[in-house]
């Protein structure tokens, strides 16, 4: 199952509302997760089962979607949110990740 | 707290082998599926392999199938990745990852270990 993410790169400002999109090549129900990764660090799980917020993750992050189209929304971008975001499908093996969206400071 | 620590990375020539380890602590290792994920320099995340809690089932990415083996020693709380016939394109940071408290998603990650395949 192939995942595509859009945009590949996003320039935004602190306080902006940001929406990232992930599309699957076939239906994956809600078997989708979102990760945040900063340079030199391991990925951090933000959302699983498409819309469940991982424990400890700020509520400004939210996920939605099912089937083939999914979104990650950051309601008010904070300085610590500038990072690369990956989606991941867990519907079937092989597990696959999207190519990522880099969120940079405008 | 729940922790994963990888080791075994290094520089190796093409065609040679390397074995990575992932030491687990502060959870019942023998009850959990475990994964390996890698990231080439400047690139995205690539899932590599998975092993079931008891080692009876494994799956691999097509890019490593037939060259890599995943195994575990539940008595020593350790996960392994045996990498044979290494290629330059296997150069990456290798992470072990655990779906601990998030259905199947990977909520626990190690810090990663760097593997460089170069002549």
């Amino acid at each position: 199952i192939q995942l595509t993410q859009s945009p590949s790169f996003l320039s935004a400002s602190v306080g902006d509302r940001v929406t990232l999109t992930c599309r699957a090549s076939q239906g994956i129900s809600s078997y989708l997760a979102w990760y945040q990764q900063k340079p030199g660090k391991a990925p951090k799980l933000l959302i699983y089962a498409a819309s469940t917020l991982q424990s400890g993750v700020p509520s400004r992050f939210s996920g939605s979607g099912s089937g083939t189209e999914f979104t990650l929304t950051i309601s008010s971008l904070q300085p610590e949110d500038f990072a690369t975001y990956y989606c991941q499908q867990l519907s079937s093996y092989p597990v696959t990740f999207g190519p990522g969206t880099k969120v940079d400071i405008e | 707290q729940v922790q994963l620590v990888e080791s075994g990375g290094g520089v190796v020539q093409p065609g040679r082998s390397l074995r990575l380890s992932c030491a687990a602590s502060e959870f019942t290792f023998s009850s959990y599926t475990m994964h390996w994920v890698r990231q080439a320099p400047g690139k995205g995340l690539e899932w590599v392999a998975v092993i079931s809690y008891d080692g009876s089932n494994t799956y691999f990415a097509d890019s490593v199938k037939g060259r890599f083996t995943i195994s575990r020693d539940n008595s020593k709380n350790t996960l392994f990745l045996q990498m044979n016939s290494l290629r330059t394109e296997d150069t990456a940071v290798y992470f072990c990852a655990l779906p601990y408290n998030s259905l199947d998603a990977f909520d626990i990650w190690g810090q990663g270990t760097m593997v460089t395949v170069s002549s």
Side-chain angles (χ1 to χ4, degrees):
Chain A
I1 298 172
Q2 309 287 337
L3 297 177
T4 57
Q5 291 186 243
S6 59
S8 301
F9 182 86
L10 187 155
S11 187
S13 300
V14 172
D16 284 353
R17 180 181 180 88
V18 166
T19 298
L20 312 181
T21 298
C22 177
R23 290 186 174 87
S25 60
Q26 64 189 75
I28 57 171
S29 185
S30 296
Y31 293 98
L32 189 102
W34 288 94
Y35 298 85
Q36 177 193 67
Q37 188 180 32
K38 296 180 179 179
K41 300 293 187 182
K44 174 185 175 183
L45 178 65
L46 301 174
I47 300 284
Y48 64 94
S51 60
T52 303
L53 190 68
Q54 172 66 0
S55 176
V57 173
S59 59
R60 63 181 180 272
F61 291 93
S62 64
S64 66
S66 67
T68 61
E69 187 150 340
F70 302 86
T71 59
L72 173 70
T73 299
I74 309 172
S75 60
S76 177
L77 203 62
Q78 298 301 300
E80 59 269 30
D81 300 338
F82 293 97
T84 300
Y85 293 84
Y86 296 95
C87 58
Q88 175 200 41
Q89 72 79 21
L90 297 145
S91 173
S92 63
Y93 291 119
V95 169
T96 47
F97 290 91
T101 293
K102 185 176 182 179
V103 178
D104 209 346
I105 302 171
E106 187 167 46
Chain B
Q1 70 275 24
V2 175
Q3 190 173 17
L4 301 173
V5 178
E6 301 93 338
S7 61
V11 180
V12 62
Q13 293 179 326
R16 304 297 291 264
S17 299
L18 201 62
R19 188 176 83 156
L20 305 183
S21 299
C22 170
S25 57
E26 301 302 325
F27 68 102
T28 307
F29 179 73
S30 59
S31 296
Y32 291 88
T33 293
M34 295 290 299
H35 297 259
W36 286 100
V37 176
R38 69 183 181 182
Q39 187 169 37
K43 302 298 183 182
L45 300 169
E46 180 187 15
W47 176 82
V48 173
V50 61
I51 186 167
S52 59
Y53 69 98
D54 61 355
S56 61
N57 289 293
T58 60
Y59 295 94
F60 297 90
D62 286 345
S63 58
V64 306
K65 201 173 296 182
R67 300 188 298 121
F68 289 14
T69 301
I70 187 173
S71 61
R72 63 193 300 160
D73 185 339
N74 284 344
S75 68
K76 296 183 178 179
N77 292 344
T78 304
L79 173 72
F80 301 101
L81 185 68
Q82 177 68 42
M83 305 184 295
N84 298 331
S85 303
L86 282 162
R87 304 168 180 169
T88 55
E89 56 264 37
D90 296 319
T91 294
V93 176
Y94 285 74
F95 298 97
C96 55
L98 163 67
Y100 179 66
N101 193 30
S102 56
L103 299 180
D104 295 330
F106 304 173
D107 55 332
I108 306 294
W109 294 70
Q111 85 288 352
T113 188
M114 182 70 202
V115 172
T116 302
V117 184
S118 173
S119 54

